Amino acid sequence: MTTSTTTPVLRTDYQKAVAEYWNRERNPVNLRLGEVDGLYHHHYGIGDYDPRVLETPGEARADAIIEEMHRLETAQADFLLDHLGDITPHDRLLDGGSGRGGTSVMAHARFGCEVDGVTISEAQVDFANDQAVRRGIDDKVRFHFSNMLDSGFDAESMRGIWTNETTMYVDLFELFAEFARLLPHGGRYVCITGCSNDVTGGRSKAVSRIDEHYTCNIHPRSHYFKALAANNLVPINVVDLTSATIPYWELRAKSSVATGIEDPFLTAYRDGSFHYLLIAADKV
Amino acid sequence: MTTSTTTPVLRTDYQKAVAEYWNRERNPVNLRLGEVDGLYHHHYGIGDYDPRVLETPGEARADAIIEEMHRLETAQADFLLDHLGDITPHDRLLDGGSGRGGTSVMAHARFGCEVDGVTISEAQVDFANDQAVRRGIDDKVRFHFSNMLDSGFDAESMRGIWTNETTMYVDLFELFAEFARLLPHGGRYVCITGCSNDVTGGRSKAVSRIDEHYTCNIHPRSHYFKALAANNLVPINVVDLTSATIPYWELRAKSSVATGIEDPFLTAYRDGSFHYLLIAADKV
Amino acid sequence: MTTSTTTPVLRTDYQKAVAEYWNRERNPVNLRLGEVDGLYHHHYGIGDYDPRVLETPGEARADAIIEEMHRLETAQADFLLDHLGDITPHDRLLDGGSGRGGTSVMAHARFGCEVDGVTISEAQVDFANDQAVRRGIDDKVRFHFSNMLDSGFDAESMRGIWTNETTMYVDLFELFAEFARLLPHGGRYVCITGCSNDVTGGRSKAVSRIDEHYTCNIHPRSHYFKALAANNLVPINVVDLTSATIPYWELRAKSSVATGIEDPFLTAYRDGSFHYLLIAADKV
Amino acid sequence: MTTSTTTPVLRTDYQKAVAEYWNRERNPVNLRLGEVDGLYHHHYGIGDYDPRVLETPGEARADAIIEEMHRLETAQADFLLDHLGDITPHDRLLDGGSGRGGTSVMAHARFGCEVDGVTISEAQVDFANDQAVRRGIDDKVRFHFSNMLDSGFDAESMRGIWTNETTMYVDLFELFAEFARLLPHGGRYVCITGCSNDVTGGRSKAVSRIDEHYTCNIHPRSHYFKALAANNLVPINVVDLTSATIPYWELRAKSSVATGIEDPFLTAYRDGSFHYLLIAADKV
Amino acid sequence: MTTSTTTPVLRTDYQKAVAEYWNRERNPVNLRLGEVDGLYHHHYGIGDYDPRVLETPGEARADAIIEEMHRLETAQADFLLDHLGDITPHDRLLDGGSGRGGTSVMAHARFGCEVDGVTISEAQVDFANDQAVRRGIDDKVRFHFSNMLDSGFDAESMRGIWTNETTMYVDLFELFAEFARLLPHGGRYVCITGCSNDVTGGRSKAVSRIDEHYTCNIHPRSHYFKALAANNLVPINVVDLTSATIPYWELRAKSSVATGIEDPFLTAYRDGSFHYLLIAADKV
Amino acid sequence: MTTSTTTPVLRTDYQKAVAEYWNRERNPVNLRLGEVDGLYHHHYGIGDYDPRVLETPGEARADAIIEEMHRLETAQADFLLDHLGDITPHDRLLDGGSGRGGTSVMAHARFGCEVDGVTISEAQVDFANDQAVRRGIDDKVRFHFSNMLDSGFDAESMRGIWTNETTMYVDLFELFAEFARLLPHGGRYVCITGCSNDVTGGRSKAVSRIDEHYTCNIHPRSHYFKALAANNLVPINVVDLTSATIPYWELRAKSSVATGIEDPFLTAYRDGSFHYLLIAADKV
């Protein structure tokens, strides 16, 4: 519970490998889309895409697709923020695994409150803080080189916490224990994540392929609810977004920024071995 | 796990009191509404009511309100059935706490499959079986004098199970253990229930008032998710229906069949100490 | 485990409602009895009453009954203190939910040691501290506006702890975790409480009626022993006081200070759905 | 859970050693006392002894002491039976570790009901059944060569169960799981046992000396309450009989049938490392 | 616990995919090595290889390497059997995930006892039973189309059980619960498996690559010990075979039957993210 | 979790009795052997003894035996240290129950790192620190009057921890919780201990005899693995040293420093009711 002051942010070879991946990552699917309006996301989208973008003639087609994908990603982040409950400008929020900062910026814009983002990638911290400075919100929106399993923030200091596709890098029981510490009674946690489906059984080939690609460890759906239950986090809304995210992946597969991981995602979503889920839960 | 063949259906004074209540119950709010179209519900409704019913002139007004309340109750049962997943005519379903049988009849009409309802009220069993005979579906829809905690059905014999506002009479851990036994891997459980809100803290006066009225034991929301997690039942959808049920209660408060419990319900929903929740979960 | 310094004493709407109830409470059954000898109790009595008080002629009858009720309440507190074990003047005791301070005053009188009482009612804190000043024991007996779930006292600082009919306002697992923190190895905890009876099954109407009256959440007997077992508190004595407290309620029902809650208590005790229990347990 | 029909009664070297000990045992402290009135106990006594027996002149002194010890042992069995609750002639009771059958015979005499005793000593089974025949109660009181951890009786077949100083031979979690299976909802379990005291810490030398003497494994007090809590057995009475049993041991130490184990018992009781406890608990 | 008689062997899409993989598998690395002496293994080897096989001239080189690999695989199976304890011809053993039957045949040859192998691949069942017939041991060595999670054998019917690199296809808690049911008190379970290393953290890319290749779900080392502890299986020997298996993989990488998975194995073993472990545990 | 600064090292009568035993202990089997080369052990030996020492003529025989016993004890400590993994001079190690310091001195000699030993015997602390001064290593090797259950060292401050036959004095769950606190992720714990064998069943007479002799509480083998699993300590090696330690006891039984406890040890090891075990586990 108590940790010595010298505990490093990166404690395992695994964490170092993950950090290195994201420090080096310059993936157009993240950078090109972010350039659309300066919101840099590291997550996927939801909602139907406008099929006309595929008909865009000539060189503009690639950009049209990218803008549409970006729109779907922003819609996903908006949907996540919709579930944070009533947040006032005097509250404080935590973005667990904040990437290049897109969702944090959107949260501040919507609620006017302080937002702290943590990530184990120093490159992402720098990038995101730079974005905050450019937007003139660095007094309210801050990014930290910090492990969300051991964030160092005061107990009960965060009115709301979210993780946007970052829980596959950590142990859920450890993570939710830390979040339960950070949230006051009545605080809200919102999670969007891909999870394997216990109904179809063990991890399918497609899910293992995704794990290998991102050096991540996708959890079964059941683990989320066991870990929440063990940490006094009580669901109030659970939404299966699987069918809502498939169009995004179909569009991405046709885009210029496809990375090759589109096929395993589509296979896994379609064969039922993988779900895209939103969970909103209250700390009690 | 094994129980002797002589285990009585009613094992405790509490169960006997509950059974006696429902054996004697002749509440117009249940009977009058059931007479509308022969679907006898023992649950509440969701959705906005048509405000024009309140304007219905003269003696027709009371009936108009009752028809509208009945429509909202049927809408609730439909919403529940929407979450059972793909059910074929060859499947079998269990209605845990089947009351006068309304939801079972609707389930059979929708899916064409066998439905078994269980209730500890012999009067309800007789009433519901009589309804099935009248509808000519008694070869497929059967009601049993049986305790849903110890139903006696074969393991893995039910493709789906629902409880429509009946879980407040039993221990959730015992109930979900039995349901987990009855469902095969991948089977679906759907629950609609009122639950107290751990966020506001202990049971409010209004919730205790409801408990006293129905001799029931409303559970905190957290208990549902702990008991599901402990019994390999994994949520796939959770919907907070609180705001959707308030109009029903407002209408009921103005109806000729109000029982006096409307005020505690409205108080509890409005002060946040009580939620109306749908949970759909898969057995894994 | 760690809480920020700004954690409020009253954390939930429920706690606020309970605090407000007791801040406003001016119930003659507590005040009139306390005036007998200056010991203000907020608990019930044990032992047979002297039937002659009922025969007291004229206006003196009401006072005679009140004096007799007060005698039984004091007997209850004495019985509780009997189970604290060997307490020396150098020890320190905690009164969890100290009300207007009666039991604390008695404990100091008996053992000569320091006593700290905590309650979430500021009115009670003021009243009780005022009593301590009047008695000249305010250097030894102190009352605090504090939540017994999070008392703020040092670990292992209390030789003994008691709760006299206050555990129905809190979660037992949280409470006993805090008490286990406050007691050293070998420290003693004594609890007198009403509890519902798992043998008769769920909460009876009468118990829900009591819950509503006091905005409290009466626990099943089984919860006490599960929560003790989970927190290294090992029973050494358990006494079923149900039959010993019934005379008190019968007398109270006939008194001038009856509040109307007497009937649910008598019903619940007599139908077996409610027990009055003393538990003494050692911290190990 | 399911055991093959060939599971032997004695499954471990330990159980075989215990069985062999009791098969061979011809200890005068058990046989001589039993001859007093034909009630053969294998447990200790409670209550003050009559000091005049020590003054009995000449050869009669030894017998006087033995009769007095027997009286205290019978008083202990009576105290145990007092806690079984309301037992009717139509009920059935289980004596777990029935020895030569004394307590079973007393239970039948008091309640008129059927009693089954189980023990892993075939010599004890034969002896006790022979006693039942002599008393003409063998149609109601039966002793079985059977392990109380796996008794083979039907689920919920026993209204009450007791163990009189036999729990130190078995794992409490296994034992109480079996008892919870045998008892119906509301059934009563009564245990009298010596237990080590978690307050003084680990097993003292004296307690280990007793363990060695009887090849038994005395449990800490805390284990009893953890194992009860884990098996839905809820205490209703707990009585510390330590001071009540010391006189018995003091008398026994002066008797002609002392075995040498008296000193460790007295040491352990007096230094606080050992308790003599009655626990009555309800199955819920 | 109880399952209906119609429970299929293959219950999930995942199990069907695994069964299909092994039904179709005709991998030379398994078939060619088996042809050496008729022992068909589906596991890896331990011990240093003879470097001279690499120097074998001409066409004989490939066969020499294959013979050497087969020798190392047989050595592994022998090492496994060494840890089964004292097995007599009257005992019965279970091979959980028996593949083409090699280890079962070796166990029978060593102990002379009955061996039952189970696998969810019908092709493997047929192949292995055919081998038993050829060897004239089909009265003692039998292979079954059966799921080791729900084997259908009688409780306590198996003196020993082993799994040779098959636990990565199943949930360990379910598996060890079934094994604990099949073993009598004192029965022995031996497991050889690859497991991910909790010390290096989450699953590395190399481990996910192996998972994808075999459609398996490699468990962390910690899961083995948690699942054993939860099921009364107590380790008596644990051997880290990682360094002992690396030579086998180095040789295989140079062989004609390399499948391409050699590199992820060698990477994972060398970077410490993967261990090759033997665990021997007693049922208690 | 938090303890007040005044928590005494010796908290229970049991701990005081153990401390007193070791404060007074001047057993030749420890002192005489230590004098051989200044390494004072309080544990037993492993490996075959040289039978020629028994043939040593005249007065030299006793010393020859003692030297040989000392060699076997040193071999045991070396075997323990072999399992600590890669320790550098910059690491820090904890010796839990350090006795007169022998293993700590050996660890420092091997790894060059800091070693802290803790023991609840002040006499042992003084003796061991005096040894460190004599060897000029007191800047690196320090002994503390401290309870290993509550050592007071910083979290994650120890690269490795061992206990050499000291775990039988404490609760394993408490101990391993403290060790899990002291070890960083990836830290190593090594335990050598005698443990009773769950396979043979309850504690045998011989094991109770050992408990009585040393006022210790020998744990079953299963408890070690349950307590490790509960505290994120994952075995990597488990070695059954029983047969390796029997020669030591046979030799000791023939030595001049035999204490009488040799026979129970040999009986217990030979009848299988007692094991001598090494466990190496990683903190994860």
Side-chain angles (χ1 to χ4, degrees), chain B residues 202-224:
Chain B
R203 277 192 302 281
S204 66
K205 272 185 194 297
V207 170
S208 286
R209 181 74 192 85
I210 300 170
D211 272 351
E212 187 195 358
H213 183 85
Y214 290 105
T215 327
C216 69
N217 289 199
I218 290 165
H219 305 291
R221 176 158 45 111
S222 61
H223 283 208
Y224 283 89

Side-chain angles (χ1 to χ4, degrees), chain D:
Chain D
M1 210 62 89
T2 315
T3 51
S4 74
T5 54
T6 58
T7 304
V9 171
L10 303 176
R11 310 188 66 180
T12 62
D13 291 351
Y14 175 78
Q15 290 173 349
K16 287 170 194 159
V18 172
E20 190 177 39
Y21 176 91
W22 289 107
N23 280 339
R24 292 188 182 185
E25 186 264 350
R26 301 285 183 278
N27 211 321
V29 81
N30 289 318
L31 290 175
R32 288 290 309 285
L33 272 70
E35 288 159 8
V36 170
D37 62 2
L39 283 176
Y40 289 84
H41 298 307
H42 285 82
H43 53 80
Y44 312 125
I46 56 172
D48 290 333
Y49 63 83
D50 181 343
R52 290 171 301 182
V53 299
L54 295 172
E55 315 301 321
T56 314
E59 297 189 347
R61 184 177 182 273
D63 283 354
I65 292 175
I66 281 173
E67 283 187 33
E68 184 65 359
M69 285 171 62
H70 184 68
R71 185 181 70 78
L72 300 184
E73 292 184 359
T74 299
Q76 187 261 29
D78 263 323
F79 189 73
L80 184 159
L81 297 175
D82 290 346
H83 287 82
L84 274 172
D86 296 328
I87 304 294
T88 76
H90 306 294
D91 286 322
R92 192 174 172 195
L93 299 174
L94 177 67
D95 182 351
S98 48
R100 287 190 172 93
T103 313
S104 288
V105 169
M106 288 173 64
H108 173 70
R110 182 190 287 215
F111 304 118
C113 67
E114 289 187 75
V115 182
D116 288 274
V118 296
T119 164
I120 61 172
S121 161
E122 293 191 89
Q124 288 184 337
V125 171
D126 293 343
F127 187 100
N129 275 329
D130 183 60
Q131 292 291 314
V133 169
R134 286 173 191 234
R135 289 170 180 270
I137 56 173
D138 52 310
D139 57 331
K140 291 295 195 104
V141 180
R142 288 171 298 264
F143 300 92
H144 311 267
F145 175 54
S146 173
N147 192 324
M148 63 179 169
L149 295 177
D150 184 20
S151 69
F153 294 110
D154 283 346
E156 309 191 13
S157 59
M158 299 293 170
R159 179 67 211 167
I161 299 177
W162 74 82
T163 51
N164 201 347
E165 297 178 16
T166 61
T167 46
M168 57 286 292
Y169 289 108
V170 296
D171 179 275
L172 295 178
F173 285 81
E174 291 182 42
L175 182 70
F176 294 167
E178 174 68 357
F179 286 178
R181 190 185 68 82
L182 295 175
L183 292 168
H185 186 91
R188 174 69 55 92
Y189 168 55
V190 181
C191 171
I192 292 185
T193 189
C195 54
S196 63
N197 185 6
D198 311 75
V199 171
T200 52
R203 277 192 301 281
S204 67
K205 272 184 194 298
V207 170
S208 287
R209 180 76 192 84
I210 299 169
D211 272 352
E212 188 197 358
H213 184 85
Y214 290 106
T215 326
C216 69
N217 289 199
I218 291 165
H219 304 291
R221 176 159 44 112
S222 61
H223 283 209
Y224 282 89
F225 293 96
K226 283 182 194 288
L228 291 168
N231 286 289
N232 295 320
L233 294 163
V234 186
I236 183 67
N237 276 108
V238 177
V239 186
D240 180 359
L241 295 168
T242 308
S243 61
T245 196
I246 287 178
Y248 167 85
W249 285 99
E250 290 171 336
L251 181 61
R252 179 165 156 168
K254 294 167 184 158
S255 78
S256 60
V257 293
T259 63
I261 198 61
E262 290 77 14
D263 187 50
F265 269 91
L266 285 165
T267 299
Y269 282 139
R270 289 171 178 157
D271 71 15
S273 65
F274 196 53
H275 278 146
Y276 197 50
L277 212 67
L278 175 137
I279 305 170
D282 294 319
K283 165 71 191 305
V284 303

